[in-house]
Amino acid sequence: DMVRRGLVTNSQFLLSCRSGKLTPSQVAKNIIAMLEDCDKSTPPLRAIVQWDREQIMLMAEASTIRYRNKCTLSCLDGIPVCLKEEFKVVPYHHRVGTVYLGTQPETEDATVAKKLREAGAIIIGVSNMHELGTGTTGCNPNRYHKIPRNPYNPNHFTGGSSSGSAAAVAAGLCPVAIGTDGGGSVRIPASFCGVVGLKGTFGRISCHGSLPLSYSTVSVGPICTSVADAAIVYSILAEPDLLYPYGLKQPKATLSDMCAPDLKGLKLGVDWTFFKACDAEVLSACEKAVKHLQSLGASVVEVSLPEVEEARVAHVICILSEMRDFLQPDFNKHFHEMNLETRASLALASQFTALDYIKANRQRTRSMRFLQEIFSTVNCILTPATPCTAPRIYESDLLTGSSDMSFTVRSIRFMQLGNFTGIPGLVVPIGYSAAGLPISLQVMAKWWDEAVLLRIGLKLEQFRDQTKKPSIYYDILA
């Protein structure tokens, strides 16, 4: 029902289009002017790394005609979106953050790109990403990508690996972006850039047409300006795809009870020891947000997440072993064209043995069993999204990149459980640090229960009393 009514933060956008005050073509012209401006600004935003005026205008003009004839394709018709460069999008280069991949323009769309086109969305280009998705800062110094800037403070990183996707949404270039998440790659940049990020259940949204870097940990999800937008994009993208076997047996995606007036009857699980493993500013904001959810009728239940440390190590072994396996030919042939940090991560990955990988997957079975028990007593698990706010960019990072293993390990602390066991997670901005950088809370639920995440997310969104405008912001409806 919600999708039919088209409750989008773009409600402004949709109302303007329906009333004929504004057409998708005019919005597209604004975006093109802004994309030119982004590239010229100091420092450049580097959110969208490939775009094409003609492509954007073609889609926008087709949408304008549909609005005029009152035959729009979905409530994403005319809505500007971008996709992480990890996806194949015609006619762009499928570089995946590298200088050596995607030498020819793509001739075939990834499933999510195809679905967005069929929904009438306007693909404004492909977004920047951490090279081969191997890090969480978004720092990519190579010539095609450069370092995307955090719209809240251009001297700070966006987070990664879906760096440009989060920056584009936070900066107002498009209300919707698509990312992938193997170790927090949707949720970390969404959190650092103060926007909403949803990692679907493993297999929920098709990965077909994205580079299969780690087949057992990666999920696709939207990064949006609001929870309502994330719900709409999720409902359009979530369904089985014959080209993506992992998601074929999924239950139907619903948005049941999403708009319930309160949270009565919901049990929110919190492992306080785990929850508190973050900076003081982050903790204080997150604790207040939990109280806000309680005030709406939800109850907080203390849970104990067993073997957190074992699960963290096992997740790293799984994701890095799978990436190292898939990138074996690249590592041999293109080693010298990779960023230093990518080389270091892949070299580290080559130290894991078959034994490590088998043990890690035994741990996965255990962790999934524990979660099954926990979710029989609670509806969701709450944690901070990231233990800290976005890190700052140093001069040297612009030239040689950044490699800070301790930061990487820390930034994925609350993310790994979702990637390791396949459960869905949603991050929602809840406030700002004293320095004005965004802070977010994460909600995780049992497999296939994205609906409860979105229901809680809608209420969580109301907690943030004011929304600070980023220092880099474009108003595409102006």
Side-chain angles (χ1 to χ4, degrees):
D1 181 44
M2 172 157 171
V3 175
R4 228 185 18 254
R5 283 178 297 157
L7 285 177
V8 190
T9 314
N10 315 323
S11 51
Q12 278 176 288
F13 178 91
L14 290 171
L15 287 171
S16 313
C17 289
R18 283 184 190 142
S19 65
K21 283 195 188 109
L22 192 65
T23 66
S25 298
Q26 281 162 302
V27 175
K29 284 190 183 116
N30 290 352
I31 292 170
I32 289 164
M34 286 156 189
L35 287 170
E36 286 172 341
D37 184 68
C38 290
D39 286 347
K40 291 194 200 93
S41 64
T42 325
L45 179 62
R46 298 308 293 154
I48 307 290
V49 287
Q50 299 182 57
W51 57 278
D52 179 292
R53 176 186 277 106
E54 252 171 86
Q55 289 292 324
I56 298 172
M57 287 315 296
L58 272 175
M59 285 180 265
E61 279 153 11
S63 176
T64 300
I65 292 167
R66 289 193 294 270
Y67 273 99
R68 197 176 299 142
N69 299 335
K70 299 194 171 35
C71 62
T72 49
L73 297 170
S74 79
C75 54
L76 282 187
D77 207 322
I79 301 289
V81 303
C82 68
L83 290 97
K84 182 179 186 176
E85 201 180 56
E86 199 169 318
F87 294 99
K88 295 181 173 180
V89 183
V90 179
Y92 302 109
H93 294 265
H94 189 216
R95 292 193 179 115
V96 200
T98 69
V99 294
Y100 66 84
L101 286 171
T103 50
Q104 297 303 312
E106 245 350 279
T107 54
E108 211 176 313
D109 274 330
T111 298
V112 283
K114 187 165 151 284
K115 277 182 158 329
L116 289 167
R117 278 191 216 274
E118 286 164 359
I122 298 170
I123 298 173
I124 66 166
V126 293
S127 44
N128 206 342
M129 64 177 285
H130 205 105
E131 185 177 60
L132 296 167
T134 56
T136 58
T137 54
C139 181
N140 189 347
N142 78 45
R143 64 179 183 273
Y144 287 135
H145 297 86
K146 297 282 174 261
I147 294 173
R149 303 296 179 138
N150 192 319
Y152 275 91
N153 183 334
N155 298 320
H156 286 250
F157 284 117
T158 54
S161 65
S162 310
S163 50
S165 297
V169 172
L173 290 170
C174 52
V176 172
I178 308 297
T180 58
D181 190 314
S185 284
V186 159
R187 293 163 293 157
I188 292 168
S191 167
F192 283 166
C193 293
V195 289
V196 172
L198 171 67
K199 177 196 97 69
T201 304
F202 176 77
R204 180 59 111 177
I205 297 173
S206 174
C207 279
H208 175 74
S210 72
L211 201 70
L213 292 162
S214 162
Y215 65 90
S216 79
T217 66
V218 173
S219 295
V220 178
I223 294 175
C224 301
T225 27
S226 72
V227 175
D229 286 6
I232 285 170
V233 179
Y234 163 74
S235 65
I236 285 175
L237 296 180
E239 63 172 359
D241 170 16
L242 290 171
L243 301 168
Y244 183 63
Y246 299 123
L248 287 178
K249 296 274 188 289
Q250 61 178 280
K252 196 157 173 43
T254 68
L255 297 178
S256 59
D257 291 336
M258 181 174 152
C259 298
D262 54 37
L263 298 176
K264 283 196 178 75
L266 286 185
K267 294 188 173 75
L268 318 174
V270 179
D271 178 330
W272 285 110
T273 314
F274 186 51
F275 192 101
K276 288 177 175 168
C278 60
D279 292 357
E281 272 187 306
V282 172
L283 179 60
S284 143
C286 289
E287 284 178 331
K288 286 186 194 129
V290 173
K291 287 208 171 73
H292 167 73
L293 296 176
Q294 274 177 291
S295 74
L296 293 165
S299 55
V300 169
V301 178
E302 287 204 32
V303 295
S304 166
L305 293 171
E307 303 178 7
V308 170
E309 203 42 48
E310 288 83 347
R312 284 177 58 187
V313 173
H315 165 261
V316 169
I317 291 169
C318 285
I319 188 168
L320 283 180
S321 299
E322 288 169 9
M323 289 176 90
R324 182 70 175 82
D325 166 56
F326 178 72
L327 294 169
Q328 179 71 32
D330 301 48
F331 194 69
N332 293 337
K333 247 197 345 251
H334 298 283
F335 181 81
H336 293 291
E337 294 166 274
M338 290 174 174
N339 289 333
L340 296 171
E341 183 192 17
T342 309
R343 296 184 208 175
S345 304
L346 292 175
L348 166 71
S350 65
Q351 298 307 301
F352 297 133
T353 65
L355 218 60
D356 295 326
Y357 187 70
I358 289 164
K359 277 190 184 147
N361 276 293
R362 286 192 178 139
Q363 177 64 44
R364 193 191 303 239
T365 309
R366 284 177 68 86
S367 296
M368 289 171 83
R369 189 70 40 83
F370 293 139
L371 282 180
Q372 240 164 347
E373 282 169 33
I374 289 171
F375 285 125
S376 68
T377 60
V378 297
N379 300 90
C380 70
I381 295 169
L382 302 179
T383 69
T386 46
C388 55
T389 53
R392 56 163 305 190
I393 298 171
Y394 292 95
E395 277 303 301
S396 62
D397 299 339
L398 304 174
L399 304 167
T400 52
S402 152
S403 183
D404 180 345
M405 272 302 170
S406 68
F407 170 77
T408 306
V409 168
R410 213 166 148 236
S411 65
I412 62 176
R413 173 177 297 148
F414 299 119
M415 301 287 147
Q416 294 175 275
L417 192 61
N419 295 112
F420 188 48
T421 62
I423 59 171
L426 177 75
V427 299
V428 180
I430 53 162
Y432 304 91
S433 67
L437 290 164
I439 294 172
S440 301
L441 188 80
Q442 174 175 235
V443 194
M444 291 180 283
K446 67 178 184 293
W447 301 269
W448 316 114
D449 198 6
E450 287 87 350
V452 79
L453 296 184
L454 295 162
R455 176 182 171 186
I456 296 166
L458 277 179
K459 296 288 180 269
L460 200 49
E461 220 168 20
Q462 298 159 2
F463 167 72
R464 188 171 57 164
D465 47 354
Q466 56 19 324
T467 304
K468 291 196 172 124
K469 206 173 187 181
S471 58
I472 302 174
Y473 187 76
Y474 294 96
D475 182 358
I476 59 174
L477 300 182

